[in-house]
Amino acid sequence: MLLWPTLRRGKGGPVSVSDAVQTVNRNQGVFVDVRPPDQFKTGTIAQARNVPVADLGAKAGSLPKNKPLIVFCEQGRESIKAAALLRKQGLDAVSLEGGLKAWTQAGMPLSKKA
């Protein structure tokens, strides 16, 4: 049972908010917000990079190859596909389970981007 989150992460499955925070803190993970820029500006996870789904193929090369990526969207649906695309390009990417909605429901802070 204790290995289940690790096994899921290894397969690229969605990770919980707490697992995502641990990944960022322990392994210098990077949050990647795949929502459109107008949604990104209304509020996102602090330090998140905005790479909209529509631009992901072209901009994947700008993402760090040596750090785990936690990909998220509003509810976690688009980010699952986005993380799979990034993994196909050789990046270590997982989706945030439940997306930004789960993040805020967990009481985690948002940052507004100018």
Side-chain angles (χ1 to χ4, degrees), residues 11-109:
K11 300 261 190 237
V15 295
S16 68
V17 169
S18 61
D19 284 343
V21 170
Q22 286 179 4
T23 298
V24 169
N25 290 338
R26 293 182 182 165
N27 304 318
Q28 298 179 335
V30 176
F31 284 110
V32 180
D33 187 336
V34 295
R35 299 175 305 149
D38 58 325
Q39 289 181 16
F40 177 75
K41 289 177 184 174
T42 64
T44 190
I45 298 171
Q47 306 300 318
R49 294 179 62 175
N50 185 222
V51 182
V53 169
D55 302 334
L56 204 55
K59 293 186 177 178
S62 70
L63 296 170
K65 294 175 183 21
N66 59 342
K67 295 181 181 181
L69 305 175
I70 299 95
V71 182
F72 67 96
C73 59
E74 192 63 38
Q75 295 184 11
R77 293 185 188 109
E78 290 292 319
S79 60
I80 290 172
K81 297 173 196 168
L85 175 73
L86 293 172
R87 282 194 304 276
K88 285 181 183 176
Q89 295 190 16
L91 297 167
D92 179 9
V94 293
S95 174
L96 178 63
E97 188 172 31
L100 196 60
K101 186 175 182 181
W103 180 267
T104 55
Q105 286 176 343
M108 302 302 282

